[in-house]
Amino acid sequence: MFAAENGLKGDPRLQAISEAIRVVPHFPKPGIMFQDITTLLLDHKAFKHVVDIFVDRYRDMDISVVAGVEARGFMFGPSVALAIGAKFVPLRKPRKLPGEVISEAYELEYGTDCLEMHVGAAQPGERALVIDDLIATGGTLSAAIRLLERVGAEVVECGCVIGLPEVKGQCRLNGKPLYILVEPRELDNCC
Amino acid sequence: MSILKDEDPRIHGIKTKIRVVPNFPKPGIMFQDITTLLLDPKAFKDTIDLFVERYKGKNISVVAGIEARGFIFGPPIALAIGAKFVPLRKPKKLPGDVIFEEYTLEYGRDCLEMHVGAVQLGERALVVDDLIATGGTLCAAMNLLERVGAEVVECACLIELPDLQGRERLNGKPLYVLVEYQ
């Protein structure tokens, strides 16, 4: 569900966030209109709005785990975790996390990839969020949800800055609520 | 010039939260794992607070973080001091125009990229990473920033491995670390 339809209708912060995102055509390959959040990170006010909106939403939900998917989830998740007093759990590509891990495969357009989480990072019964910059097909986020559920954590919601059209109209992923700040920018209304 | 805040009571708590994993990623390496620090909200907050207290009010407008663990610590610092966050990434991850800087590894070379236009001439910048070992990556990061005319004020890391003499590779730039691992 989009923030604008869920309590933040007309909130000027959402427009500031949207305008700070840059569209890069044909990256990483022809036909893809890449939603680049690095320009958002260069805009201190807009970046702060993103964190503030997530923090306002989640601070009273008894969340003890914020999980973020490598690498852009690392840019947003920790600030939210710090502000709500939760731990941050990085979910990483294979062989990056040292020590004991569990892994979850997920499908790409061509082939499969794999996400790993440390054994012991999340405990049974903990209430968890997954934060990422963008949700497209939901494959990566679904894998993230499965990892947390496998260790007995309860995924309360997935929070993303941008939601691509594939998820428009869907308010759930694997049965978990989705909370999305903005729609993708189009090239003709950018810059 | 590595300043260790040994007097600060928060340092001890931070030190105890870092996990050493032997023989990762290969035999003989004692890997400094900061993920256990991230599992302790107080220790993680103390870490960020120590950096923020040092850099707030010093007119720093850029915090550059090195992929991927620099992305965990850099943004909270940037947000707290009112600076922009600039990710420095492995090749082909950043879309659009980039500049790149090669650096040597133990075996072979690697490369760090930064977006063109992310940083302006004269901006005061920090480079943040979880750890300094040989200093190769930090040096490449500093070079990227200096090439676009920014002033690197300091490199900030949680952990230093002093035996690897990374500090010497920083061309006299100050290095601030919280914890040393001998």
Side-chain angles (χ1 to χ4, degrees):
Chain A
M1 84 198 89
F2 281 89
E5 296 147 14
N6 193 45
L8 293 186
K9 185 179 167 80
D11 191 317
R13 292 177 300 178
L14 294 178
Q15 181 168 2
I17 290 164
S18 181
E19 287 172 2
I21 294 163
R22 171 174 78 150
V23 180
V24 181
H26 310 302
F27 182 89
K29 50 186 205 201
I32 308 239
M33 303 302 271
F34 189 86
Q35 302 289 313
D36 181 17
I37 49 87
T38 65
T39 41
L40 172 70
L41 306 174
L42 296 180
D43 181 336
H44 172 260
K45 277 214 186 85
F47 186 15
K48 189 168 186 305
H49 289 332
V50 169
V51 175
D52 287 347
I53 291 171
F54 283 136
V55 169
D56 287 342
R57 180 173 180 80
Y58 297 123
R59 64 159 32 105
D60 295 323
M61 286 196 189
D62 228 343
I63 308 256
S64 58
V65 174
V66 174
V69 178
E70 160 165 26
R72 288 186 289 267
F74 289 7
M75 298 177 197
F76 297 97
S79 298
V80 176
L82 283 161
I84 68 175
K87 46 192 179 183
F88 179 70
V89 174
L91 305 179
R92 298 208 68 174
K93 296 283 161 71
R95 294 177 296 283
K96 300 291 185 74
L97 291 171
E100 250 196 296
V101 297
I102 57 170
S103 50
E104 188 71 33
Y106 61 101
E107 284 188 17
L108 299 171
E109 193 181 6
Y110 300 107
T112 58
D113 207 337
C114 199
L115 213 54
E116 294 186 344
M117 181 173 79
H118 266 137
V119 167
Q123 304 299 321
E126 290 207 83
R127 288 165 58 78
L129 288 183
V130 185
I131 301 273
D132 209 355
D133 65 322
L134 179 145
I135 175 169
T137 61
T140 320
L141 280 175
S142 293
I145 293 168
R146 288 195 300 273
L147 279 170
L148 289 159
E149 292 189 323
R150 275 168 61 186
V151 300
E154 177 197 347
V155 177
V156 174
E157 193 159 90
C158 294
C160 299
V161 181
I162 306 161
L164 292 199
E166 288 104 304
V167 294
K168 199 176 172 125
Q170 269 178 252
C171 12
R172 296 193 155 250
L173 181 69
N174 289 14
K176 299 299 168 186
L178 267 179
Y179 184 74
I180 300 167
L181 300 190
V182 297
E183 297 191 44
R185 287 205 82 185
E186 318 248 320
L187 199 56
D188 56 8
N189 66 23
C190 172
C191 333
Chain B
M1 189 180 24
S2 147
I3 300 131
L4 294 174
K5 296 195 117 198
D6 266 320
E7 336 75 44
D8 194 303
R10 294 171 286 184
I11 293 282
H12 176 74
I14 290 165
K15 229 181 244 194
T16 60
K17 290 298 172 180
I18 296 165
R19 173 173 75 151
V20 180
V21 181
N23 303 314
F24 182 90
K26 51 187 205 203
I29 307 240
M30 302 296 276
F31 188 87
Q32 305 288 313
D33 182 17
I34 48 86
T35 65
T36 39
L37 174 77
L38 307 176
L39 296 182
D40 182 325
K42 182 185 183 310
F44 186 16
K45 183 180 186 301
D46 286 345
T47 303
I48 300 299
D49 286 348
L50 280 161
F51 289 120
V52 171
E53 286 161 22
R54 182 174 180 78
Y55 298 119
K56 199 166 194 166
K58 302 270 169 69
N59 222 21
I60 289 167
S61 58
V62 176
V63 173
I66 299 176
E67 168 161 21
R69 290 184 288 267
F71 293 178
I72 295 173
F73 299 99
I77 296 168
L79 283 167
I81 69 173
K84 49 191 177 183
F85 178 71
V86 176
L88 304 181
R89 299 208 65 174
K90 296 284 161 72
K92 298 190 281 292
K93 301 291 185 78
L94 291 171
D97 279 352
V98 297
I99 58 170
F100 70 90
E101 183 80 18
E102 274 198 322
Y103 59 100
T104 43
L105 298 170
E106 196 181 5
Y107 300 106
R109 301 173 69 74
D110 207 338
C111 193
L112 213 54
E113 293 186 344
M114 181 173 80
H115 265 138
V116 168
V119 177
Q120 309 301 319
L121 187 72
E123 291 207 79
R124 285 164 56 77
L126 290 183
V127 184
V128 174
D129 207 356
D130 65 323
L131 179 146
I132 174 171
T134 61
T137 324
L138 274 175
C139 195
M142 287 193 329
N143 288 344
L144 281 169
L145 290 160
E146 291 183 334
R147 277 167 58 190
V148 298
E151 177 199 345
V152 176
V153 173
E154 196 157 81
C155 293
C157 301
L158 276 72
I159 305 160
E160 180 185 12
L161 306 180
D163 295 345
L164 297 179
Q165 301 171 308
R167 194 173 318 131
E168 269 95 90
R169 252 179 113 164
L170 300 184
N171 293 341
K173 279 298 173 187
L175 169 70
Y176 175 73
V177 305
L178 303 183
V179 167
E180 271 184 4
Y181 184 80
Q182 307 279 3

